[in-house]
Amino acid sequence: MGQLIGRWIRGATLAPLALLTAGMAFAQEDDVATRLAALEEAVGGSASAYVDNSYLFLIGGLIVMFMAAGFCMLEAGLVRSKNAAMQSMKNVTLFSVAGLMFWITGYNLAYPGDATLFNGLLPTNFGPWSGGDLSVESDGGYAPASDWFFQMVFVATAASIVSGTVAERVKIWPFLIFTAVLTAFIYPVVASWEWGGGYLDSVWSFSDFAGSTLVHSTGGWAALTGAIIIGARSGKYSGKTVNPMPGSNIPLAALGTFILWFGWFGFNGASQLAAGTAADINSVSQIFANTNMAAVGGVLAAMVTTAVLYKGKLDATLIFNGAIGGLVSITAEPLAPSMGMSVLIGAVGGVLVVVSVPLLDKFKIDDVVGAIPAHLICGIWGTMIVPLTNSGASYAGQAVGVALTGVFVVIISSIIWFALKFTIGVRPSEEDEEMGLDRAELGLEAYPEFSNR
Amino acid sequence: MGQLIGRWIRGATLAPLALLTAGMAFAQEDDVATRLAALEEAVGGSASAYVDNSYLFLIGGLIVMFMAAGFCMLEAGLVRSKNAAMQSMKNVTLFSVAGLMFWITGYNLAYPGDATLFNGLLPTNFGPWSGGDLSVESDGGYAPASDWFFQMVFVATAASIVSGTVAERVKIWPFLIFTAVLTAFIYPVVASWEWGGGYLDSVWSFSDFAGSTLVHSTGGWAALTGAIIIGARSGKYSGKTVNPMPGSNIPLAALGTFILWFGWFGFNGASQLAAGTAADINSVSQIFANTNMAAVGGVLAAMVTTAVLYKGKLDATLIFNGAIGGLVSITAEPLAPSMGMSVLIGAVGGVLVVVSVPLLDKFKIDDVVGAIPAHLICGIWGTMIVPLTNSGASYAGQAVGVALTGVFVVIISSIIWFALKFTIGVRPSEEDEEMGLDRAELGLEAYPEFSNR
Amino acid sequence: MGQLIGRWIRGATLAPLALLTAGMAFAQEDDVATRLAALEEAVGGSASAYVDNSYLFLIGGLIVMFMAAGFCMLEAGLVRSKNAAMQSMKNVTLFSVAGLMFWITGYNLAYPGDATLFNGLLPTNFGPWSGGDLSVESDGGYAPASDWFFQMVFVATAASIVSGTVAERVKIWPFLIFTAVLTAFIYPVVASWEWGGGYLDSVWSFSDFAGSTLVHSTGGWAALTGAIIIGARSGKYSGKTVNPMPGSNIPLAALGTFILWFGWFGFNGASQLAAGTAADINSVSQIFANTNMAAVGGVLAAMVTTAVLYKGKLDATLIFNGAIGGLVSITAEPLAPSMGMSVLIGAVGGVLVVVSVPLLDKFKIDDVVGAIPAHLICGIWGTMIVPLTNSGASYAGQAVGVALTGVFVVIISSIIWFALKFTIGVRPSEEDEEMGLDRAELGLEAYPEFSNR
């Protein structure tokens, strides 16, 4: 601002004032008109806010896209080595399926253009997305394809969540078919209710800034349904005993955690949806700070909780999941809370992660990477706490959103998982599972030269 | 700046001059003049489009720079563990050599300032690049060093391609000498023909948006020449048998694939070369979307093709290369195709990758990471299909560009590889190759604590 | 576009129309006034420079944040596998502690608002940071939280340096307590002397553009103090023999190097602190180019030096550290040097890294990852060479800054390390160290399935 005033003064000093003194000639009139028109053209043509908004989507989308690598590393690090190549490949292929399906039907279903009840289900919205004329400014104030790209990487995130939970005992083809339905239909319908201006938004003033419920819980519910229907890995539970199956590559899991943390600044920050004004970029920046504080809270709370529960021993994978739990918790409302409140919201998420893991084991729900605690449980927590800091949301409205999403995703996911189970089958044979999916389905190994103990 | 003046003139023409003809008071005149001058200063000084354009180069260049890490991970994952440290180090050092040489001669050779026949070869263009005065706007409409940075990471990409193909059996020094010639001379000359406004651009209207031919095929031809002259890894081919030498760390290869995918948005998107207007940022965004769709097509086509060819078994490394093949295929024209067409162009690339690998083996050309199919074959495919969607290009012109690049790169590369072979030698001794380059040339091991089977 | 029109209308309403009423045709006057006001609103409201500046902090900060992953990979790759999970977890938790402490006291200590002697120590500056009103432009010309975020990742960098040096033989809790003091107090006080406008800046015109001394040497001095007080890893030195303890995963170390290199463009580039004018973005771009050239110089000089010293054998880890040494060397002044000078400054850094390592061993200072040569020695070198290219700095002033930082950090660090040593203890038991911290403190292993030789 000081700079701007400085320029103003300099500008005034430099201005050819001498030209404008008489009472006065046409030339001067012309000059004013010319200069005004040129300025209007320059301001309009440089499209500063339009470019700034589009950059937000592109850069945000870019690092959310990179979260696919984060999920891949986290999951490849937390499965046993005999499934690590398959898990890596699944993450590459699921990202591809998600991109394809979101183009074919997903985007148009999720953003139907006008909001009606169950707008996401209207058959008129099916069909591939097209960005339209590149030479004109879009009415939305940003480049259409930048928005498509940004929304597409969100749907891929939902799909990545599922792959971690059901790792090590699902065949690749049924998994990808489920991914196709999730990204072509399930997620888009849920998103349409809120971000498409539909039922939850218009009737319940449901508030989910960047998708604690819409993205993370949707992925989490689909993962939970899958884990129950597919069943646990063979040997995981014998009677009341839980047999630990430790991850094969913890440094890769740490890398995955950092990549997810990195990408989350785009996930939450770019969900401000605009960056062309001071108020918008101030908000984007505050979201960056709050997002980081929530992850910090999640890590430190998970650390302290594991130290208390496990008598001084820390658990690296729970601490990594604490970061993710903290991040999911702040995703529903990363702007309104103060930084201190963001730490607390994230910290509760971190605690929830640590206490949920044994709970799942009690029910013999085998979640290989801990995605259900981090994405589903923390997604619910983050969504339900929004009204504390955002007066535009109500606890009732939030509860309706959480419940409706849960019911819908569980029902449709169950139908798909059961249909797959009773047709092409979802599990590999006992021998294949024992041998590992790398050799069974890929014909190679993740680490062929490192002997297993 | 030229653009700004253009707008000025257009603005003047369009201005409703008729409205401004009467006489007025001094105070108000002064006020108008002051405010106009301040606005002109603010609009000119804030340099919105200039900054937006430079940001495109900087951010795009940044993630293309990170592709060096992607190549490093892909290659370290696909070599045997006894060469993984060397392969990692090669990628760090080749990036350094490329940056140095492109500064010393490369940039000025590639972008000679004015276009003449064989402009890239004119001795007047030799010499280190210098960015000039930082305090003034460059005529190009972007910060000079942002362009240098962006172009530099392109040349490093070409060099990275070579290192993967000739891995595991080339000594470090001759490899780096070849890299120096490639980045100081070979690539710059090729680039000058098109992006420097030279022969291919002015005579043939050759069209290669982001470098399917200029970057990827150039790297691919150099790699192919190297693979033939250096020969296969010892033990790879015995009679008609091809002995598989599986990669030692598939999760790292997956990480490399994701990093390359991530960086490619900069590679193609920032090749729009401007982002300061709505039309430009619309185009950059569409390129992001199309680039992703081509990778999607490449992955899914490679997946289906391997499933069909190998009776249901999938090949993770071919699928990773399918992503790269799809990305290379769209690189020559990532803007003109529809998203559906982008899927198809990428899908053909994915199929080409899968079918080319056994073909190379038939000729006993040992391409360790599969760079020749992904970068050379798909680079040719991507270049040749440009006229289908871009009416400014012709099949004849494209063919001339592909052929001229191939002939030039193969001839010069052959001279260099042979010169190295008959002077300092390119291959390690049989024992060193057997022992692995890590211990032979580095005196350490990539994974000293993990026993080899 | 709709937004723009909205501003137009708002602008018209706000315009001081009263000034423009006298002896002239109303319609035309109104037109000029309206158009002027709309333009002022558009230029002011679009806040082009304000957004550009904030983007610089956000994008720069983002990739500096990712440097935490780089340190994590570098360190996880360079420790023995029995400590690799702990080292990974330490990097996640230290980043969290740094973020928390910098919010609680660090930022306000480092940037006290007005500059006084020992301003960083004034108790009035303690207290959590708050970004203020999001709806207005901040006087600084950028979003307040974007600056907080950018500065926060700097303090995390200083903390990351320490963790590498003292790896493999420090318990997690004392390490994190030290990190808390470093990031809440030590680093902020040092930063306040220069970047907070304090003693070094106002009295000595000390010049440290992006923190060769303030960040890297601060971290380096703290690491050195820790290494001495904690002592060497058990078995590292026996009499005059130095027992090599090679890193367990060299490809991960290469990845870490590339990530650090990548992030350094944000570290140095965004330290220009503004990007809203042509001069600023030109400078940011030149910093990108110079930063790269210094890394190039560091890599190649380290490579040649190891080849000479070790009779042709290269050392991958020294070459990786050469890159970091080159980058640290240019960090004190990445803008003023020419590109050739940048190569030289980086190259000296690369040589310093190689020759410092045996020197440390001579004094039995056990620096696991080589952080002291790269960050401390090269930090001093980079700071002392500033006056060669920047006439605003003096050798005396630089020496004072280096010495004052060293004395202060060493004294406070010693107090903390000794206090920890004589209370809760800093080292694990002999058996725990022998067993590895992964099993001792975490109860899991980094690579449970890969047998140790």
Side-chain angles (χ1 to χ4, degrees):
Chain A
M1 195 61 198
Q3 244 180 330
L4 202 68
I5 292 167
R7 272 196 211 111
W8 192 289
I9 292 163
R10 249 181 303 144
T13 320
L14 297 167
L17 292 178
L19 275 175
L20 295 139
T21 42
M24 55 203 46
F26 287 170
Q28 289 143 14
E29 278 307 304
D30 272 17
D31 181 62
V32 169
T34 306
R35 288 163 70 193
L36 263 176
L39 278 168
E40 284 161 5
E41 181 80 9
V43 169
S46 75
S48 169
Y50 189 87
V51 172
D52 289 337
N53 294 341
S54 305
Y55 260 139
L56 187 72
F57 283 136
L58 291 179
I59 298 168
L62 197 54
I63 60 173
V64 177
M65 177 268 155
F66 200 49
M67 289 172 71
F71 281 107
C72 182
M73 291 299 100
L74 185 70
E75 298 174 15
L78 292 183
V79 299
R80 290 166 294 175
S81 63
K82 65 184 177 185
N83 297 309
M86 172 54 92
Q87 201 60 28
S88 302
M89 202 203 74
K90 262 184 196 157
N91 275 277
V92 171
T93 51
L94 78 83
F95 187 80
S96 303
V97 167
L100 186 70
M101 300 316 290
F102 199 64
W103 167 65
I104 292 180
T105 72
Y107 188 90
N108 282 338
L109 277 179
Y111 305 94
D114 71 313
T116 56
L117 188 63
F118 298 111
N119 50 18
L121 295 162
L122 284 181
T124 50
N125 300 320
F126 277 100
W129 177 82
S130 158
D133 189 350
L134 295 178
S135 66
V136 296
E137 287 201 5
S138 154
D139 288 347
Y142 48 77
S146 71
D147 180 57
W148 182 85
F149 180 70
F150 185 65
Q151 305 301 344
M152 180 273 293
V153 292
F154 270 57
V155 73
T157 301
S160 296
I161 294 165
V162 182
S163 83
T165 293
V166 301
E168 304 203 77
R169 83 284 200 183
V170 64
K171 291 191 290 184
I172 177 79
W173 293 106
F175 171 76
L176 289 181
I177 293 170
F178 181 83
T179 300
V181 177
L182 178 69
T183 56
F185 180 71
I186 299 177
Y187 169 86
V189 168
V190 173
S192 80
W193 289 337
E194 171 66 13
W195 294 337
Y199 177 69
L200 287 174
D201 182 52
S202 57
V203 176
W204 289 99
S205 296
F206 181 63
S207 181
D208 189 3
F209 196 91
S212 284
T213 286
L214 302 184
V215 180
H216 294 280
S217 289
T218 292
W221 288 116
L224 176 66
T225 313
I228 292 171
I229 294 173
I230 298 168
R233 286 168 291 177
S234 121
K236 175 71 183 173
Y237 304 108
S238 36
K240 291 212 161 177
T241 316
V242 179
N243 299 309
M245 295 176 166
S248 53
N249 198 328
I250 301 300
L252 284 193
L255 175 63
T257 303
F258 270 122
I259 294 176
L260 290 174
W261 193 328
F262 171 73
W264 228 287
F265 295 108
F267 203 94
N268 288 357
S271 290
Q272 174 71 11
L273 306 182
T277 65
D280 276 329
I281 199 77
N282 282 346
S283 298
V284 172
S285 303
Q286 191 61 48
I287 293 170
F288 269 56
N290 286 350
T291 297
N292 197 69
M293 294 317 275
V296 162
V299 165
L300 298 179
M303 190 182 186
V304 170
T305 312
T306 60
V308 169
L309 290 182
Y310 305 142
K311 293 165 188 166
K313 290 243 177 180
L314 299 170
D315 186 310
T317 61
L318 283 177
I319 290 168
F320 300 162
N321 272 324
I324 298 168
L327 289 162
V328 172
S329 301
I330 202 69
T331 295
E333 183 49 73
L335 179 57
S338 67
M339 287 171 76
M341 185 59 77
S342 300
V343 175
L344 291 179
I345 289 170
V348 172
V351 173
L352 285 173
V353 162
V354 176
V355 300
S356 303
V357 165
L359 211 71
L360 285 173
D361 274 337
K362 190 165 263 173
F363 292 106
K364 301 193 178 179
I365 295 169
D366 185 11
D367 179 3
V368 178
V369 304
I372 295 170
H375 296 276
L376 175 54
I377 311 281
C378 291
I380 294 173
W381 154 248
T383 305
M384 290 309 302
I385 201 63
V386 169
L388 184 69
T389 59
N390 179 343
S391 58
S394 72
Y395 290 102
Q398 299 301 96
V400 169
V402 166
L404 181 63
T405 302
V407 169
F408 177 75
V409 177
V410 167
I411 289 176
I412 309 290
S413 294
S414 300
I415 293 171
I416 309 299
W417 283 124
F418 274 123
L420 291 167
K421 191 170 181 173
F422 295 122
T423 53
I424 61 175
V426 290
R427 287 191 80 123
S429 69
E430 278 280 328
E431 295 117 55
D432 280 2
E433 192 180 338
E434 177 62 30
M435 191 204 302
L437 299 179
D438 289 5
R439 287 171 67 197
E441 293 202 271
L442 292 181
L444 57 74
E445 291 172 78
Y447 310 102
E449 299 181 41
F450 307 153
S451 66
N452 291 20
R453 284 217 187 129
Chain B
M1 195 62 199
Q3 246 179 329
L4 203 68
I5 292 168
R7 278 199 207 107
W8 192 288
I9 292 163
R10 251 181 301 143
T13 320
L14 296 169
L17 293 178
L19 277 173
L20 295 138
T21 43
M24 357 169 164
F26 288 172
Q28 289 141 14
E29 278 307 306
D30 272 18
D31 181 64
V32 168
T34 306
R35 288 164 71 192
L36 262 175
L39 277 167
E40 283 162 5
E41 180 80 8
V43 169
S46 77
S48 170
Y50 189 88
V51 172
D52 289 337
N53 294 340
S54 305
Y55 260 139
L56 186 72
F57 283 135
L58 291 179
I59 298 168
L62 198 53
I63 59 172
V64 177
M65 177 268 155
F66 200 49
M67 288 172 72
F71 281 107
C72 182
M73 290 300 99
L74 184 70
E75 297 174 15
L78 292 182
V79 298
R80 288 166 296 175
S81 63
K82 65 184 177 185
N83 296 310
M86 172 54 93
Q87 201 60 26
S88 303
M89 203 203 72
K90 262 184 196 157
N91 275 278
V92 171
T93 51
L94 77 84
F95 186 80
S96 303
V97 168
L100 187 70
M101 301 315 290
F102 199 64
W103 166 66
I104 293 180
T105 72
Y107 187 91
N108 281 338
L109 278 179
Y111 305 94
D114 71 313
T116 57
L117 188 62
F118 298 112
N119 49 18
L121 295 162
L122 285 181
T124 51
N125 300 320
F126 276 100
W129 177 82
S130 159
D133 188 351
L134 295 179
S135 66
V136 297
E137 287 200 8
S138 154
D139 287 348
Y142 48 77
S146 71
D147 180 56
W148 182 84
F149 181 69
F150 185 65
Q151 305 301 344
M152 180 272 293
V153 292
F154 270 58
V155 73
T157 301
S160 296
I161 294 165
V162 182
S163 83
T165 293
V166 300
E168 305 202 75
R169 83 285 198 182
V170 64
K171 289 190 291 184
I172 176 79
W173 294 107
F175 170 76
L176 289 181
I177 293 170
F178 181 83
T179 300
V181 177
L182 178 69
T183 56
F185 180 71
I186 299 176
Y187 168 85
V189 168
V190 173
S192 80
W193 289 337
E194 171 67 13
W195 294 337
Y199 178 69
L200 287 174
D201 182 53
S202 57
V203 177
W204 289 98
S205 296
F206 181 62
S207 181
D208 189 3
F209 195 90
S212 284
T213 286
L214 303 184
V215 180
H216 294 279
S217 288
T218 292
W221 288 115
L224 176 66
T225 313
I228 293 171
I229 295 173
I230 298 168
R233 286 169 291 178
S234 121
K236 176 71 183 172
Y237 304 106
S238 36
K240 291 213 161 176
T241 316
V242 179
N243 300 309
M245 295 176 167
S248 52
N249 198 328
I250 300 302
L252 283 194
L255 175 63
T257 303
F258 270 122
I259 294 176
L260 290 173
W261 194 327
F262 171 74
W264 228 287
F265 294 108
F267 203 94
N268 288 357
S271 290
Q272 174 71 12
L273 305 181
T277 65
D280 277 328
I281 199 77
N282 281 346
S283 297
V284 171
S285 303
Q286 190 62 48
I287 293 170
F288 269 56
N290 286 350
T291 298
N292 197 68
M293 294 317 274
V296 162
V299 165
L300 298 179
M303 189 182 187
V304 170
T305 311
T306 60
V308 169
L309 290 182
Y310 305 140
K311 293 166 188 164
K313 290 241 178 182
L314 300 170
D315 186 311
T317 61
L318 283 177
I319 290 168
F320 299 162
N321 272 324
I324 299 168
L327 289 162
V328 172
S329 301
I330 202 70
T331 294
E333 184 48 71
L335 180 57
S338 67
M339 287 171 77
M341 185 58 78
S342 300
V343 175
L344 290 179
I345 290 170
V348 173
V351 173
L352 285 173
V353 162
V354 176
V355 300
S356 303
V357 166
L359 210 70
L360 285 173
D361 275 336
K362 188 166 263 171
F363 291 106
K364 299 193 179 180
I365 296 169
D366 184 12
D367 179 3
V368 178
V369 305
I372 295 170
H375 296 276
L376 174 54
I377 311 282
C378 291
I380 294 173
W381 154 247
T383 306
M384 290 309 302
I385 201 63
V386 169
L388 184 69
T389 59
N390 179 344
S391 58
S394 72
Y395 290 101
Q398 298 301 96
V400 169
V402 166
L404 182 64
T405 302
V407 170
F408 177 75
V409 177
V410 167
I411 290 175
I412 308 290
S413 295
S414 299
I415 293 170
I416 308 299
W417 283 123
F418 274 122
L420 290 167
K421 190 171 182 172
F422 295 121
T423 54
I424 61 174
V426 290
R427 286 192 79 125
S429 69
E430 277 279 330
E431 295 117 54
D432 281 2
E433 192 179 339
E434 176 62 29
M435 190 203 305
L437 299 180
D438 289 4
R439 286 171 67 196
E441 292 202 272
L442 292 181
L444 59 73
E445 293 171 76
Y447 311 101
E449 300 181 39
F450 307 153
S451 66
N452 292 19
R453 288 226 184 120
Chain C
M1 195 61 200
Q3 246 179 329
L4 203 68
I5 292 167
R7 274 196 210 110
W8 191 288
I9 292 163
R10 250 179 302 142
T13 319
L14 296 169
L17 291 177
L19 275 175
L20 296 137
T21 42
M24 47 197 96
F26 288 169
Q28 289 142 16
E29 278 307 302
D30 272 16
D31 181 62
V32 168
T34 305
R35 287 165 72 193
L36 263 175
L39 277 166
E40 283 161 5
E41 180 79 10
V43 169
S46 77
S48 169
Y50 189 88
V51 172
D52 289 337
N53 293 341
S54 305
Y55 260 139
L56 187 73
F57 283 135
L58 291 179
I59 298 168
L62 198 53
I63 60 173
V64 177
M65 177 268 154
F66 200 50
M67 289 172 70
F71 282 107
C72 182
M73 290 299 100
L74 185 70
E75 298 174 14
L78 292 183
V79 298
R80 290 165 295 174
S81 63
K82 66 183 176 184
N83 297 310
M86 172 55 92
Q87 201 60 27
S88 302
M89 202 203 72
K90 263 185 195 157
N91 275 278
V92 171
T93 51
L94 78 83
F95 187 80
S96 303
V97 167
L100 186 70
M101 300 316 289
F102 199 65
W103 166 65
I104 293 180
T105 73
Y107 187 90
N108 281 339
L109 279 179
Y111 305 95
D114 70 314
T116 57
L117 188 62
F118 298 112
N119 50 17
L121 296 162
L122 284 182
T124 50
N125 300 321
F126 277 99
W129 178 82
S130 159
D133 188 351
L134 296 178
S135 67
V136 297
E137 286 200 7
S138 154
D139 287 349
Y142 47 77
S146 71
D147 181 56
W148 182 84
F149 180 70
F150 185 64
Q151 305 301 345
M152 180 273 293
V153 293
F154 270 58
V155 72
T157 300
S160 296
I161 294 165
V162 182
S163 83
T165 293
V166 301
E168 305 202 77
R169 82 287 198 180
V170 64
K171 290 190 291 184
I172 176 80
W173 293 107
F175 171 76
L176 289 181
I177 293 170
F178 182 83
T179 300
V181 177
L182 178 69
T183 55
F185 180 72
I186 300 176
Y187 168 85
V189 168
V190 173
S192 81
W193 290 337
E194 170 66 13
W195 293 338
Y199 178 70
L200 288 173
D201 182 52
S202 56
V203 177
W204 289 99
S205 296
F206 181 63
S207 181
D208 189 4
F209 196 90
S212 284
T213 285
L214 303 184
V215 181
H216 294 279
S217 288
T218 292
W221 288 116
L224 176 66
T225 313
I228 293 170
I229 294 173
I230 298 168
R233 285 168 291 177
S234 122
K236 175 71 184 173
Y237 305 108
S238 37
K240 290 213 163 177
T241 316
V242 179
N243 299 309
M245 295 175 167
S248 53
N249 197 327
I250 300 301
L252 284 194
L255 175 63
T257 303
F258 270 123
I259 294 177
L260 290 173
W261 194 326
F262 171 73
W264 228 287
F265 294 109
F267 203 94
N268 288 358
S271 290
Q272 173 71 11
L273 306 182
T277 66
D280 277 328
I281 199 76
N282 282 346
S283 297
V284 171
S285 303
Q286 190 62 48
I287 293 169
F288 269 55
N290 285 350
T291 297
N292 197 69
M293 294 317 274
V296 162
V299 165
L300 298 179
M303 189 182 188
V304 171
T305 312
T306 61
V308 169
L309 290 182
Y310 304 143
K311 293 165 186 166
K313 289 242 178 180
L314 300 170
D315 186 311
T317 62
L318 283 176
I319 290 167
F320 300 161
N321 271 324
I324 299 169
L327 289 162
V328 172
S329 301
I330 201 69
T331 294
E333 184 48 74
L335 180 56
S338 68
M339 287 171 77
M341 184 59 77
S342 300
V343 174
L344 291 178
I345 290 170
V348 172
V351 173
L352 285 172
V353 163
V354 176
V355 300
S356 303
V357 165
L359 210 71
L360 284 173
D361 275 336
K362 190 167 261 172
F363 292 105
K364 299 192 180 179
I365 295 168
D366 185 11
D367 179 3
V368 177
V369 304
I372 295 169
H375 296 276
L376 175 55
I377 311 281
C378 291
I380 294 173
W381 154 247
T383 306
M384 290 310 302
I385 201 63
V386 169
L388 184 69
T389 60
N390 179 345
S391 58
S394 72
Y395 289 102
Q398 298 302 96
V400 169
V402 166
L404 182 64
T405 301
V407 169
F408 177 75
V409 177
V410 167
I411 289 175
I412 308 291
S413 295
S414 300
I415 294 170
I416 308 300
W417 284 124
F418 275 121
L420 290 167
K421 190 171 181 173
F422 295 121
T423 53
I424 61 175
V426 290
R427 286 192 80 124
S429 69
E430 278 279 328
E431 294 117 55
D432 281 1
E433 192 180 337
E434 177 61 30
M435 191 203 303
L437 299 179
D438 289 4
R439 286 171 66 196
E441 293 203 271
L442 293 181
L444 58 73
E445 293 171 75
Y447 310 102
E449 299 180 41
F450 307 154
S451 65
N452 292 19
R453 283 212 190 132

